[in-house]
Amino acid sequence: MLQGIAFYLLAAVAVVGGLMVVTAKNPVHSVLWLILTFFSSAGLFVLLGAEFLAMLLVVVYVGAVAVLFLFVVMMLDVDFVRLREGYARYLPLAAIVAGVLLAEMIMISLVVVQGGAAADAVGPAVATVEMTNVEAIGRVLYTDYVYIFQAAGIVLLIAMIGAIVLTLRHKPNIKRQKPHDQVNRDRKTAVEVKGAATGAGVSAEDLI
């Protein structure tokens, strides 16, 4: 009973959030609604027993993609009024594309429902080993495909370093630390003895 209530509640929030993403006039509000939709979808995955997918949805999409969208939209001065120009002109084409996608989704849903009914008639498969979704995926990733998994991580690391190197800009008027010079400095280059007359003190020029 409680699981059914949670399912319908999360599903309703996800549907409403998805509609608000495309109908909100403020792009910042759209990103916030998108984050809410992701959280609701993650809750649905948890109810279905797919804890790993729920974790990926929260960590990757909410923690990285959605937050990145939010900061980009807030930092960039985009003229959204100009972007909305020609909306009515392309509306018929958009309606045709949306109708085709809706028809495809309905056809796929009908096929899935019929296939699911046939599978239930045969009888559900019984798992021989009792393990959670995360444990099963972990055993596959870190035993059978461990080298492929590590290679994918290395490729992503190289891509991240390449993106940082390509976007890094050195400005001439900005002081930067040089750890190599700081570590290798000695007393001759770091200390300078100033001669000051007795009772005259030290001027500001001597301290520079």
Side-chain angles (χ1 to χ4, degrees):
M1 182 63 180
L2 293 178
Q3 186 175 2
I5 295 175
F7 173 80
Y8 286 110
L9 180 61
L10 292 173
V13 173
V15 172
V16 173
L19 292 176
M20 294 301 298
V21 169
V22 297
T23 57
K25 296 182 179 180
N26 193 331
V28 178
H29 295 169
S30 297
V31 178
L32 294 177
W33 282 109
L34 181 63
I35 294 175
L36 178 62
T37 305
F38 283 151
F39 272 115
S40 302
S41 302
L44 292 175
F45 279 128
V46 172
L47 292 178
L48 293 174
E51 300 88 358
F52 185 77
L53 295 179
M55 181 184 65
L56 286 182
L57 194 62
V58 173
V59 174
V60 177
Y61 286 94
V62 177
V65 178
V67 176
L68 177 62
F69 286 167
L70 181 61
F71 278 101
V72 169
V73 170
M74 293 176 63
M75 293 177 63
L76 295 180
D77 188 11
V78 182
D79 190 1
F80 292 97
V81 177
R82 184 177 179 181
L83 291 177
R84 293 191 183 97
E85 293 179 356
Y87 174 79
R89 183 175 57 183
Y90 296 105
L91 185 60
L93 179 61
I96 294 174
V97 174
V100 173
L101 293 176
L102 180 62
E104 291 179 351
M105 288 189 291
I106 293 175
M107 292 173 60
I108 293 174
S109 301
L110 293 176
V111 172
V112 170
V113 170
Q114 294 177 358
D120 292 338
V122 176
V126 179
T128 57
V129 180
E130 293 294 335
M131 65 177 64
T132 62
N133 179 262
V134 178
E135 184 180 357
I137 295 177
R139 289 190 178 184
V140 173
L141 288 179
Y142 296 106
T143 55
D144 300 335
Y145 303 100
V146 59
Y147 296 110
I148 299 177
F149 190 75
Q150 291 180 353
I154 293 175
V155 171
L156 292 176
L157 177 62
I158 295 174
M160 182 180 65
I161 295 175
I164 295 174
V165 172
L166 291 175
T167 56
L168 184 62
R169 297 292 182 269
H170 294 283
K171 297 182 180 179
N173 298 326
I174 296 179
K175 294 183 179 180
R176 298 181 181 274
Q177 290 185 348
K178 297 180 180 180
H180 182 269
D181 296 340
Q182 293 175 353
V183 172
N184 294 328
R185 62 189 300 185
D186 53 6
R187 188 177 184 277
K188 295 180 180 180
T189 58
V191 179
E192 182 179 358
V193 179
K194 294 287 186 178
T198 304
V202 181
S203 61
E205 296 179 356
D206 295 334
L207 297 176
I208 298 177

